[in-house]
Amino acid sequence: MTYRMVHVGLGGQGRTWLTEAIPPNVEAGRLEVVAAVDTDPERHELARTELGLSPDRCYTDLDTALTERDADFCSVVTPPAAHEPVVETALSYGLDILSEKPIADTLAGSVRIARAVEQAGAKMGLTMTHRFDQDKTTFRRAVEDASPVDYLTARFTGNVRERGHYSPYVHEMEDMLLLDGAVHHLDMLASLVDAPCERVYADTWVPDGADYRGDCTGLVTLTFADGTRAHYEGSYANATTLNGWGHEQFRAECADETVVLDNREVERFGRDDDRAGESAGRDDGEHVPPVERPTWTNAWLIEQFCDWLGGGEPMPTDVASTLRSMAIVFAAIESSETGEAVEVPTMLNEARAVAQVQ
């Protein structure tokens, strides 16, 4: 079945959707873009050139677009602070929703969105893109073979201290490491554990010379209900880019195997008691061949969402599941502000209680 989509947001990541994520799904017959919406009319040209939309299908106002065009779902590829009103409008027209991360720019907003979707009986998925890249998928499957996991580590470090590498608004974000980068990395760590995250401790800061308003470097420790631990190191302001965007290092320590993802290569190191105490070299492990499939990241997530609309299983990053990842991120933000560990279930339950009375 072909689903009719209204695409909301043509700048930044919205441009990537137009050029990389949407076309494979249009070609496969999964979706048809019936309209594009952006408050800046100068961006409409991209929708016309990349998707072949006529000028009368490009709008500056979502309500007008949904009044004039029949659709099954709408995308939300706007800045996080604008997600909630877009979702509210889409739900008022009976649409399902596929949104960029995070759900919203606050935990309260994220809870309100999840609650509104549930009350409307709608489907909403989030494009937690990183988890569905080829190298991360290969790593996940290798870890599943080696389970159970004792502890996990992740490293994302880069020398992007100055402006010009990312959109200017990223440099002005509060808590930019946690909301821009770690929102993906912490979600990836949590997805590798078969238990909810219970406790988060985070320490974040802005190193000297880094041109960021919000903290761009930090260390985060996660404790899960089954006793699994995870540790995250993230920085946009190091002297050297060891594991930059898309080339992160993840390591899973299991009882009889260590699995490492580093710069998009996955290796597994089996337990070898004959070499106890000897350090293993990079080439001592067994190379894990990359998983192959037609599409990755957002293109694959759009495919998963369409399958869900067609009666398939909910996508792994449905709004209810992603809300738990958002709670981890906002718990890390609170921990970095207070200097104390934060109980994730308590924080999420308190946010839900507030949403109930609003």
Side-chain angles (χ1 to χ4, degrees):
M1 180 175 176
T2 301
Y3 295 97
R4 299 162 299 178
M5 180 180 83
V6 173
H7 180 66
V8 184
L10 302 174
Q13 186 68 1
R15 175 185 293 266
T16 304
W17 277 56
L18 292 185
T19 58
E20 299 178 12
I22 293 175
N25 287 286
V26 171
E27 293 168 9
R30 292 187 191 94
L31 62 82
E32 173 193 2
V33 182
V34 297
V37 181
D38 196 285
T39 55
D40 184 353
E42 293 186 2
R43 293 175 176 164
H44 292 174
E45 178 62 27
L46 186 66
R48 295 194 286 267
T49 58
E50 294 295 333
L51 299 179
L53 293 184
S54 57
D56 65 320
R57 289 182 178 269
C58 298
Y59 297 84
T60 56
D61 176 67
L62 177 58
D63 194 75
T64 303
L66 297 182
T67 299
E68 296 184 359
R69 305 293 172 184
D70 291 331
D72 299 301
F73 75 96
C74 106
S75 63
V76 184
V77 198
T78 64
H83 285 190
E84 195 168 1
V86 174
V87 170
E88 290 174 350
T89 301
L91 291 176
S92 72
Y93 282 85
L95 270 59
D96 295 308
I97 299 152
L98 183 62
S99 175
E100 271 288 340
K101 61 78 186 171
I103 300 172
D105 62 336
T106 65
L107 182 57
S110 300
V111 168
R112 287 194 300 267
I113 287 175
R115 185 164 175 259
V117 170
E118 181 182 13
Q119 291 178 335
K123 295 182 172 87
M124 180 173 176
L126 278 294
T127 55
M128 303 300 294
T129 316
H130 245 47
R131 202 202 297 187
F132 297 91
D133 202 352
Q134 184 179 36
D135 61 329
K136 314 303 189 293
T137 301
T138 303
F139 177 72
R140 174 190 310 286
R141 296 188 181 179
V143 171
E144 288 171 351
D145 290 341
S147 291
V149 174
D150 181 24
Y151 73 92
L152 300 154
T153 70
R155 181 174 71 196
F156 161 67
T157 59
N159 174 16
V160 283
R161 303 180 188 188
E162 301 175 355
R163 294 173 186 255
H165 298 280
Y166 297 102
S167 299
Y169 87 89
V170 173
H171 289 263
E172 301 302 323
M173 287 175 63
E174 296 282 354
D175 306 298
M176 67 81 51
L177 169 68
L178 295 173
L179 283 175
D180 185 65
V183 66
H184 280 294
H185 304 133
L186 298 180
D187 171 74
M188 174 70 180
L189 288 170
S191 74
L192 294 166
V193 183
D194 293 326
C197 181
E198 286 194 330
R199 189 178 305 106
V200 174
Y201 177 77
D203 187 12
T204 63
W205 64 94
V206 181
D208 291 342
D211 189 8
Y212 290 94
R213 179 171 173 240
D215 289 352
C216 62
T217 296
L219 303 169
V220 183
T221 300
L222 311 177
T223 304
F224 294 85
D226 65 354
T228 305
R229 275 83 164 176
H231 186 73
Y232 171 68
E233 170 196 1
S235 181
Y236 287 73
N238 284 7
T240 304
T241 299
L242 290 178
N243 291 100
W245 192 252
H247 296 262
E248 298 86 353
Q249 183 192 83
F250 286 87
R251 191 176 87 250
E253 291 294 346
C254 307
D256 295 306
E257 194 166 69
T258 297
V259 186
V260 180
L261 165 63
D262 194 4
N263 279 296
R264 305 193 68 82
E265 296 288 334
V266 179
E267 285 187 287
R268 55 199 316 165
F269 298 79
R271 179 172 177 172
D272 186 353
D273 291 333
D274 291 335
R275 297 184 59 187
E278 295 182 25
S279 295
R282 178 64 189 269
D283 297 328
D284 290 343
E286 174 192 348
H287 174 73
V288 179
V291 174
E292 298 291 344
R293 68 173 324 279
T295 58
W296 296 102
T297 61
N298 276 352
W300 185 16
L301 285 159
I302 292 173
E303 178 183 340
Q304 293 180 39
F305 184 69
C306 290
D307 289 344
W308 183 20
L309 295 184
E313 291 293 317
M315 60 194 300
T317 53
D318 68 303
V319 69
S321 300
T322 305
L323 182 58
R324 292 191 287 270
S325 289
M326 293 299 100
I328 294 172
V329 172
F330 288 110
I333 291 172
E334 181 172 314
S335 176
S336 71
E337 292 172 350
T338 64
E340 302 289 337
V342 174
E343 302 294 325
V344 179
T346 300
M347 185 177 186
L348 183 54
N349 288 337
E350 289 174 352
R352 284 173 170 153
V354 171
Q356 287 280 6
V357 299
Q358 289 180 335

